[in-house]
């Protein structure tokens, strides 16, 4: 599912972006505190961005934090596969099946990301 940092042929990472709360919003500092440890801020687009190249526990926790923060602040998370940036030294996705696994997570919208369905 993922490759080592050294093999970059057809490799990609998942870019998660979330629009910020308005600076005048009293929840701005709360959003800042929640997102600063896991994402970088782009003042030009007024979005937070995080990238991941594996679906491990740390990545799922990061995605859950992004989705929870988006819900609290009335915004959304956008997930986009992008080419591996030159500076990236982490794992990367390498196959189309990786996308299918991510889309499967999207089909269960009634439960938190990472929570197993109740049968």
């Amino acid at each position: 599912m993922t490759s080592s940092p050294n093999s970059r042929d057809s490799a990609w990472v998942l870019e998660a972006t979330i629009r910020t709360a308005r600076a005048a919003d009293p929840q701005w500092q709360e959003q800042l505190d929640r997102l600063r440890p896991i994402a970088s801020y782009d003042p030009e687009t007024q979005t937070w961005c995080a990238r991941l190249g594996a679906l491990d526990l740390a990545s799922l926790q990061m995605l859950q934090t992004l989705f929870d923060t988006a819900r609290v602040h009335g915004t959304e998370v956008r997930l986009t596969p992008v080419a591996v940036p030159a500076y990236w030294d982490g794992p990367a996705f390498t196959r189309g099946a990786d996308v299918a696994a991510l889309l499967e997570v999207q089909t269960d919208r009634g439960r938190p990301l990472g929570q197993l369905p109740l049968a």
Side-chain angles (χ1 to χ4, degrees):
M1 178 186 260
T2 59
S3 69
S4 69
N6 297 327
S7 62
R8 293 290 186 231
D9 296 342
S10 330
W12 57 277
V13 293
L14 187 64
E15 183 177 80
T17 55
I18 179 174
R19 184 154 309 278
T20 62
R22 291 180 295 204
D25 188 327
Q27 296 177 344
W28 165 253
Q29 189 61 47
E30 177 189 336
Q31 187 186 49
L32 181 67
D33 292 342
R34 293 179 90 180
L35 295 178
R36 188 181 297 167
I38 62 169
S40 58
Y41 181 69
D42 180 1
E44 187 174 309
T45 62
Q46 296 184 343
T47 58
W48 291 91
C49 178
R51 292 181 180 93
L52 58 130
L55 289 177
D56 55 10
L57 181 59
S59 297
L60 291 175
Q61 289 171 335
M62 179 198 66
L63 286 172
Q64 190 65 57
T65 298
L66 289 169
F67 283 111
D68 289 346
T69 303
R71 181 181 38 79
V72 167
H73 297 283
T75 187
E76 64 185 15
V77 175
R78 294 191 178 253
L79 303 175
T80 309
V82 297
V84 175
Y87 63 83
W88 186 258
D89 64 354
F93 297 104
T94 58
R95 300 179 311 187
D98 297 338
V99 176
L102 290 170
L103 294 176
E104 187 175 346
V105 171
Q106 291 291 318
T107 62
D108 294 326
R109 293 196 180 269
R111 64 182 169 89
L113 187 65
Q115 183 183 58
L116 296 175
L118 299 174

